[in-house]
Amino acid sequence: MRIFIQVIGDLEEDLVFALGEGLSESFNARISILAPIPPDISCFNPLRNQFNSTCLLRKLKPVKVTLGIIDRDIYADKMNFVFGEAELNGCRAIVSIYRLRSINSRVTEERLIKEAVHEIGHVLGLKHCRNHCVMRFSNSVREVDMKPVEFCAECKKLLGF
């Protein structure tokens, strides 16, 4: 498998590198980091001071698997915010580091990797899982911290791991 990481805006190189290593380990994948692109201003909602995640997702090139990473707050329709969004059985996913940041850089990296693995899981066809699994839905940073970075046995089986 090959995963393309598309940085949207500015992100620290060490964070992107850590993400690439985490994804490589989780999926046994080759990672390609694409040149950064600016966030598409047409996706920005000034009333919310947030970017629409679905809009940003659709701006990514549909190359399987492409993961967009942004350091801005994002939301989806009918949600106050989202950590990320993905096309179920599609090609593209996006994760925002905005609400995942911690004063501890290792915690930030771990949260980012968990949410990126989660969203790529959706791209690969997985839905939310109720087990102790990275595919468990997270509605808060605390819930992100509580879940593992790994897939449960059931999700691994669905992925053919």
Side-chain angles (χ1 to χ4, degrees), residues 105-130:
S105 62
R106 290 280 181 222
V107 171
T108 301
E109 289 172 8
E110 184 177 298
R111 288 173 179 170
L112 176 59
I113 292 166
K114 285 179 185 180
E115 289 307 299
V117 169
H118 177 98
E119 296 305 338
I120 291 172
H122 286 316
V123 169
L124 299 176
L126 294 178
K127 295 182 180 176
H128 288 141
C129 179
R130 293 180 180 222

Side-chain angles (χ1 to χ4, degrees), residues 48 50 74-83 137-139:
R48 296 178 66 126
Q50 293 174 299
I74 62 175
Y75 74 97
D77 291 340
K78 300 178 184 173
M79 303 284 285
N80 290 332
F81 73 92
V82 292
F83 295 122
F137 177 75
S138 299
N139 199 36

Side-chain angles (χ1 to χ4, degrees), residues 5-12 15-16 19 36-45 49-57 59-60 66-75 82-85 93-101 108 112 115-116 119:
I5 297 175
Q6 177 64 75
V7 175
I8 303 169
D10 295 320
L11 277 175
E12 306 91 308
L15 190 58
V16 177
L19 173 62
I37 59 172
D40 192 311
I41 200 68
S42 70
C43 298
F44 185 70
N45 182 333
N49 198 31
Q50 293 174 299
F51 281 84
N52 181 281
S53 58
T54 307
C55 178
L56 290 171
L57 190 65
K59 302 291 182 181
L60 296 173
T66 302
L67 174 70
I69 302 295
I70 190 168
D71 192 15
R72 301 292 298 272
D73 202 14
I74 62 175
Y75 74 97
V82 292
F83 295 122
E85 183 178 345
I94 188 166
V95 173
S96 169
I97 190 71
Y98 185 83
R99 292 176 185 256
L100 299 173
R101 288 204 180 269
T108 301
L112 176 59
E115 289 307 299
E119 296 305 338

